[in-house]
Amino acid sequence: MSHEQFQSCIEECIRCMQACNHCYAACLKEDHVAMMKECIRLDRECADICAFAAQAMSMNSSYAKEICRICAEVCEACGNECKKHEHEHCQRCAEACFACAKACRDMAA
Amino acid sequence: MSHEQFQSCIEECIRCMQACNHCYAACLKEDHVAMMKECIRLDRECADICAFAAQAMSMNSSYAKEICRICAEVCEACGNECKKHEHEHCQRCAEACFACAKACRDMAA
Amino acid sequence: MSHEQFQSCIEECIRCMQACNHCYAACLKEDHVAMMKECIRLDRECADICAFAAQAMSMNSSYAKEICRICAEVCEACGNECKKHEHEHCQRCAEACFACAKACRDMAA
Amino acid sequence: MSHEQFQSCIEECIRCMQACNHCYAACLKEDHVAMMKECIRLDRECADICAFAAQAMSMNSSYAKEICRICAEVCEACGNECKKHEHEHCQRCAEACFACAKACRDMAA
């Protein structure tokens, strides 16, 4: 794992955390909130594990890879849910999730 | 601030974190989720700051009192929202929030 | 996984988080801090993942088991380091770590 | 508070979190770790509250301003400690802390 790959994975986690937090807050304001339940739930889980992974990597934790492996799974699940919804915040979040999932899988490999 | 008061405030924060997390997950499964938006949002904020305050106090942070002061405000707001709803998880959460708000106010004083 | 096992694992994580935070703060005040480097580092990682696992379990996260699996590893490593040191805070922390590692392994199984 | 100021404060918090985490890990590896005790302790507190503030702002928390007010204080204290030490990681961290303190004060105003 080169320093560049490491830094790039931290940045994807932070971008994804922000996209998920933004999508989470926006979903809670949508009219049809009942349709957004699963999106709200996964946005929250995804933002939290992305923040946790970014902290772990930037303090050089011995468990960073294992945390990234779970983070990749959560990002994948959150991206799959988000892409079902047409809201722009959901579509953007899905993109950030898939990019982060890829970076975390590479990191965990 | 005696050691007993300190430990008791940590325990109230942890109890409140658990009640908020339980209420948050249950609200996301309710039929009338649109009515629960504000409860979901505040449960999440309250659980997170309670966890943060419990960590700060147990590692003897210099900022523990200031964090508890904000925690008391969030708990108060979350308790006021929860008590409007008849679900048992909301009523229990309101109780935990008010008890934690009191402990945090005493801690911050 | 029964409700009792679940609740008991949350409680072990919270106990371990507190013991690690207490040990972390105390190690930073020891005279021979150079000998405590690894203990400080692992206490911090262990407290953080225990807090994360307790939150995940109490909000019924789909990833709770996977987080507990990593948590068990971190607890095991932290307990092994702590038990090398004679300070009472280290010995108590080692006990809390091993109890939490066991609860998390059972949870993850 | 314009959207640009908001986003810029999130970015300063994230930069500061990374600088503090890097400095924390590096301090724990220094030969004269006893001299770095206070730096280690404050790096950790600062990274944690910066991460918390970044999450709060990006999910549009009602308490973001109050959290930023405490974050500014922690950043100021951490920057003042870091700038006493000649290690490059400490000097860089001090810069990130002061920039973040300023952004958080503006945000809290």
Side-chain angles (χ1 to χ4, degrees):
Chain A
M1 175 63 48
S2 71
H3 177 72
E4 283 70 25
Q5 279 178 294
F6 204 82
Q7 185 56 32
S8 144
C9 187
I10 293 175
E11 278 159 27
E12 291 295 353
C13 283
I14 287 166
R15 240 191 302 273
C16 189
M17 174 201 89
Q18 288 193 68
C20 287
N21 275 330
H22 179 69
C23 187
Y24 166 81
C27 282
L28 277 172
K29 287 180 180 162
E30 292 293 343
D31 290 336
H32 302 290
V33 69
M35 286 179 58
M36 309 312 293
K37 278 176 176 191
E38 197 57 10
C39 200
I40 291 166
R41 196 180 68 77
L42 283 164
D43 279 340
R44 198 64 260 127
E45 293 221 17
C46 195
D48 288 344
I49 198 157
C50 283
F52 196 74
Q55 288 255 66
M57 284 183 278
S58 62
M59 77 174 85
N60 215 357
S61 159
S62 330
Y63 302 94
K65 282 192 177 201
E66 295 192 60
I67 294 162
C68 284
R69 205 184 40 69
I70 303 182
C71 192
E73 275 186 66
V74 183
C75 286
E76 198 71 37
C78 188
N80 284 332
E81 177 60 30
C82 282
K83 79 174 176 192
K84 294 180 196 165
H85 306 284
E86 284 182 9
H87 307 297
E88 200 195 330
H89 54 81
C90 293
Q91 291 295 316
R92 284 198 186 187
C93 190
E95 274 175 51
C97 286
F98 292 135
C100 189
K102 192 189 170 320
C104 284
R105 270 193 306 268
D106 291 351
M107 173 75 195
Chain B
M1 177 63 48
S2 70
H3 177 73
E4 283 70 25
Q5 279 179 294
F6 204 83
Q7 184 56 32
S8 142
C9 188
I10 294 174
E11 278 158 26
E12 290 295 353
C13 283
I14 287 166
R15 240 192 300 272
C16 189
M17 175 201 87
Q18 289 193 69
C20 286
N21 276 330
H22 179 68
C23 187
Y24 166 82
C27 282
L28 278 171
K29 287 181 182 162
E30 292 293 343
D31 290 335
H32 302 290
V33 69
M35 287 179 58
M36 309 313 290
K37 279 177 177 191
E38 197 57 11
C39 200
I40 291 167
R41 195 180 69 77
L42 284 164
D43 279 341
R44 197 62 260 125
E45 293 220 16
C46 196
D48 288 345
I49 198 158
C50 283
F52 196 74
Q55 287 254 67
M57 284 183 278
S58 62
M59 75 174 84
N60 215 357
S61 159
S62 328
Y63 302 95
K65 281 192 175 199
E66 296 192 60
I67 293 161
C68 284
R69 206 184 38 71
I70 303 182
C71 192
E73 275 186 65
V74 183
C75 287
E76 198 71 37
C78 188
N80 284 332
E81 177 61 30
C82 282
K83 80 175 176 192
K84 295 181 196 165
H85 305 285
E86 284 182 8
H87 307 297
E88 200 195 331
H89 54 82
C90 293
Q91 292 296 316
R92 283 198 187 188
C93 190
E95 274 175 54
C97 286
F98 293 134
C100 188
K102 192 189 171 319
C104 284
R105 269 193 307 268
D106 292 350
M107 173 74 195
Chain C
M1 175 63 49
S2 71
H3 178 72
E4 283 71 26
Q5 279 180 293
F6 205 83
Q7 185 56 32
S8 142
C9 187
I10 293 175
E11 278 158 27
E12 291 296 352
C13 284
I14 287 166
R15 239 191 302 271
C16 189
M17 175 200 87
Q18 289 193 68
C20 286
N21 276 330
H22 180 68
C23 187
Y24 166 81
C27 282
L28 278 171
K29 288 182 180 160
E30 292 292 344
D31 290 337
H32 302 291
V33 69
M35 286 178 58
M36 309 312 292
K37 278 176 178 193
E38 197 58 9
C39 199
I40 291 167
R41 196 180 68 77
L42 283 164
D43 279 341
R44 197 64 259 125
E45 293 220 17
C46 194
D48 288 344
I49 199 157
C50 283
F52 196 74
Q55 287 254 67
M57 284 183 278
S58 62
M59 76 175 84
N60 216 357
S61 159
S62 328
Y63 302 94
K65 281 192 175 199
E66 295 192 61
I67 294 162
C68 284
R69 205 185 39 70
I70 303 182
C71 193
E73 276 186 65
V74 183
C75 287
E76 197 71 38
C78 189
N80 285 332
E81 176 60 31
C82 281
K83 80 173 176 192
K84 295 180 195 165
H85 306 284
E86 284 182 9
H87 307 296
E88 199 194 331
H89 53 82
C90 293
Q91 292 296 316
R92 283 197 186 188
C93 190
E95 274 175 53
C97 286
F98 293 134
C100 188
K102 190 188 172 320
C104 284
R105 269 193 308 268
D106 291 350
M107 173 74 194
Chain D
M1 175 63 49
S2 71
H3 177 72
E4 284 71 26
Q5 279 179 293
F6 204 84
Q7 184 57 31
S8 143
C9 188
I10 294 175
E11 278 159 26
E12 291 296 352
C13 284
I14 287 166
R15 240 191 302 272
C16 189
M17 174 200 90
Q18 289 193 68
C20 286
N21 276 330
H22 180 68
C23 187
Y24 166 81
C27 282
L28 277 171
K29 287 181 181 161
E30 292 293 343
D31 290 337
H32 302 290
V33 69
M35 286 179 57
M36 309 313 292
K37 278 177 177 192
E38 197 58 8
C39 201
I40 291 166
R41 195 180 68 77
L42 283 164
D43 278 341
R44 196 65 257 126
E45 293 221 17
C46 196
D48 288 345
I49 198 157
C50 283
F52 196 74
Q55 288 254 67
M57 284 183 278
S58 62
M59 76 173 85
N60 216 357
S61 159
S62 329
Y63 302 94
K65 282 191 176 200
E66 296 192 60
I67 293 161
C68 284
R69 206 182 41 69
I70 304 182
C71 193
E73 276 186 64
V74 183
C75 287
E76 198 71 38
C78 188
N80 285 331
E81 177 61 31
C82 281
K83 79 174 177 192
K84 295 181 195 164
H85 305 285
E86 284 181 10
H87 307 296
E88 200 196 329
H89 53 82
C90 292
Q91 291 295 316
R92 284 198 187 188
C93 190
E95 273 175 53
C97 285
F98 293 134
C100 188
K102 190 188 171 321
C104 284
R105 270 193 306 268
D106 291 349
M107 173 74 193

